[in-house]
Amino acid sequence: MKAYEKAETFIDRCSNSFEEYLSSVVNKLRDTDSEYKDIEERIAKLYEDYPIVKAVFDLEQAAALSEPDCKALLEVLTLRNRLFDKQQEAIYLRGCYDNIRYLNKAGIMQTD
């Protein structure tokens, strides 16, 4: 039996919780994608080094930024975009993978 035939699909795993399913795909990135983990760690370090940058995302209060803070904020935003892109790619590929499983289960496509 091939790996994709053993893998659980969205319907197998959590048919009534799409958000939970997507979250599990994204959470798996932390365990399987070293670049993803490195980006998250870099963002955490920037927040540690520039606490005001993290405060910018608090919509309850205004934050005044120095030039170094602005540079750190731009880096955080760039890194967050990279994380988002990696998340979207993982979700897309997981959908492709699940589609093959569905077609195989339905007997529409044989993958031998």
Side-chain angles (χ1 to χ4, degrees):
M1 183 176 269
K2 296 185 181 183
Y4 63 83
E5 293 172 341
K6 290 186 271 187
E8 62 185 350
T9 64
F10 169 68
I11 290 177
D12 297 332
R13 182 138 186 235
C14 48
S15 62
N16 59 355
S17 181
F18 187 64
E19 230 175 86
E20 181 182 325
Y21 180 72
L22 292 180
S23 180
S24 72
V25 172
V26 171
N27 285 335
K28 189 174 181 183
L29 284 172
R30 288 181 184 94
D31 299 330
T32 61
D33 189 318
S34 60
E35 182 185 5
Y36 188 88
K37 190 174 181 178
D38 291 345
I39 292 169
E40 283 192 320
E41 289 171 358
R42 178 66 183 138
I43 291 172
K45 178 78 170 111
L46 285 165
Y47 285 159
E48 184 181 312
D49 293 346
Y50 301 92
I52 194 73
V53 170
K54 189 171 186 179
V56 166
F57 297 102
D58 178 3
L59 300 178
E60 299 286 322
Q61 67 186 121
L65 300 175
S66 65
E67 186 175 337
D69 293 332
C70 286
K71 288 179 182 178
L73 175 61
L74 289 174
E75 185 175 354
V76 165
L77 292 172
T78 299
L79 292 169
R80 286 174 58 152
N81 284 339
R82 285 179 52 200
L83 286 180
F84 182 76
D85 290 345
K86 291 184 91 38
Q87 291 169 2
Q88 295 304 302
E89 178 184 10
I91 290 167
Y92 172 80
L93 293 173
R94 183 60 203 213
C96 292
Y97 190 80
D98 285 351
N99 191 37
I100 290 169
R101 293 261 300 140
Y102 294 140
L103 293 172
N104 191 302
K105 281 184 177 184
I108 296 170
M109 183 175 91
Q110 295 301 316
T111 54
D112 294 325

